[in-house]
Amino acid sequence: MSTVQGRLRIAVQKSGRLADRSLDLVRDAGLRVVKGANDLLYKVENYPIDLLRVRDDDIPTFVADGVCDLGIVGENVLEEGKNGGANASVVMPLGFGKCTLKLACPPMLDYAGPASLQGLRIATSYPKILRRYLDEQGIGADIVVMRGAVEVAPRLKLASAICDLVSTGATLEANGLVAKETVFESQAVLIQSPVAPEPGLQHLLESIIERMAGVVSSQGAKYVMLNAPRSALDAITAILPGAGAPTVMPLMGRDDAVAVHAVCQEAVFWETLEKLKAAGASAILVLPIEKMM
Ligand code: ATP
Ligand code: MG
């Protein structure tokens, strides 16, 4: 495959757990995505950008080789796919697709820490990440590579333990397995090619990255407005979650009180509002933020 002259390419998962959120991120960054002539390629109609829709396993290689300039993929897939050659670099974590690669085993196995795995067979789709973990722990175990349905391996006597991705833990539980160790924490990341785009596209590439960073940092962020007695200003500022220096403004005809406006980077829960109120705040408003840069 050769890159199309004069266009950037972003690799996204075609279908699966990351597909919808990846497309949302691209759209929220202001790219108008339209279906292309085939399923593999979607076009962006307001910029010279194409989306290449592929299996997630292929994304790190496409980006590393410069077939795509950017890609959205799970850190677990990126890490497992690393080889000796030039690799794609992580631009930023994206805050979705969170999951954990865990070691799990049936309750029958007498488990007292990683050393209990010595000499056993462990089934996984992530042999490289697992081997690195076992080496770090000084454990010699056999790894059985399975492409899917890893959780059935102990029941089929293919392995004594498994190392698999977990988000809620429901699959493990349904298969009578108990999570024991965290091997790798993962989420979706934006990755960038070590191969620079054509000079004419460099600026566009940077602006897409900056917009995506804006989308990610505004996720969950809220704009909080409230009135506060001057005397309670320090206490109230301390309660606002993840706020930098707030804007403090006078209130007409009130010398003892001020208006406080702040961008809160973390979730603002009802508990937070109750604490603010208890500290003396009134007329509290929490507003969503659409864009941030
Ligand atoms: P593809 O057809 O693209 O190869 P896949 O079946 O390999 O898809 P998905 O199951 O769609 O992959 O998962 C994609 C990514 O979603 C995973 O690599 C991981 O980063 C993330 N993820 C989040 N939660 C989970 C979970 N509970 N189980 C598996 N993956 C998860
Ligand atoms: Mg895959």
Side-chain angles (χ1 to χ4, degrees):
M1 207 181 304
S2 67
T3 39
V4 181
Q5 281 243 309
R7 296 183 78 82
L8 287 179
R9 270 194 180 154
I10 307 175
V12 295
Q13 189 188 26
K14 182 174 180 186
S15 66
R17 290 173 203 264
L18 303 181
D20 289 350
R21 296 290 303 267
S22 302
L23 212 50
D24 288 347
L25 173 63
V26 168
R27 291 190 169 124
D28 290 345
L31 312 192
R32 281 206 301 275
V33 180
V34 292
K35 289 193 176 155
N38 57 51
D39 242 19
L40 176 70
L41 212 68
Y42 277 9
K43 289 197 168 305
V44 172
E45 58 179 8
N46 54 339
Y47 293 101
I49 302 174
D50 293 324
L51 297 193
L52 199 62
R53 303 168 67 243
V54 291
R55 294 283 308 264
D56 67 347
D57 316 69
D58 293 332
I59 293 174
T61 316
F62 284 180
V63 176
D65 292 351
V67 171
C68 294
D69 304 278
L70 295 171
I72 298 171
V73 72
E75 258 178 308
N76 52 309
V77 173
L78 179 69
E79 200 60 35
E80 186 65 28
K82 274 189 184 162
N83 55 38
N87 285 303
S89 58
V90 174
V91 182
M92 63 189 151
L94 299 173
F96 63 88
K98 288 189 180 167
C99 56
T100 314
L101 194 56
K102 283 195 187 272
L103 270 167
C105 60
M108 296 86 85
L109 188 80
D110 200 6
Y111 190 88
S116 304
L117 299 167
Q118 179 65 38
L120 298 184
R121 277 157 70 89
I122 309 172
T124 190
S125 306
Y126 296 89
K128 277 196 207 164
I129 300 178
L130 176 59
R131 179 60 73 199
R132 189 177 62 196
Y133 172 85
L134 293 172
D135 287 350
E136 277 164 17
Q137 302 282 329
I139 294 156
D142 288 336
I143 296 177
V144 189
V145 182
M146 291 176 71
R147 285 280 149 242
V150 174
E151 65 280 357
V152 302
R155 239 186 306 148
L156 299 180
K157 304 271 178 282
L158 286 166
S160 312
I162 67 160
C163 176
D164 202 11
L165 287 178
V166 178
S167 49
T168 60
T171 308
L172 286 187
E173 202 179 321
N175 286 279
L177 299 169
V178 185
K180 295 295 182 186
E181 309 289 342
T182 294
V183 174
F184 190 79
E185 302 255 20
S186 181
Q187 63 175 301
V189 288
L190 179 69
I191 57 173
Q192 184 175 7
S193 180
V195 184
E198 298 168 30
L201 292 170
Q202 183 64 34
H203 180 74
L204 178 61
L205 180 72
E206 284 164 17
S207 114
I208 297 306
I209 292 174
E210 193 177 350
R211 286 183 187 196
M212 286 185 176
V215 173
V216 172
S217 61
S218 71
Q219 269 162 13
K222 296 279 185 261
Y223 194 75
V224 177
M225 309 197 287
L226 54 83
N227 291 349
R230 274 189 195 280
S231 56
L233 207 48
D234 285 349
I236 284 173
T237 313
I239 297 168
L240 290 169
T247 308
V248 177
M249 287 164 289
L251 283 170
M252 205 159 85
R254 299 265 316 260
D255 286 341
D256 58 329
V258 286
V260 178
H261 288 196
V263 173
C264 291
Q265 300 284 1
E266 294 155 30
V268 181
F269 298 109
W270 282 109
E271 287 78 4
T272 313
L273 301 196
E274 283 156 7
K275 278 189 208 160
L276 289 168
K277 213 162 173 206
S282 58
I284 309 171
L285 291 181
V286 180
L287 310 175
I289 294 173
E290 193 180 289
K291 292 191 176 67
M292 204 151 87
M293 203 161 161

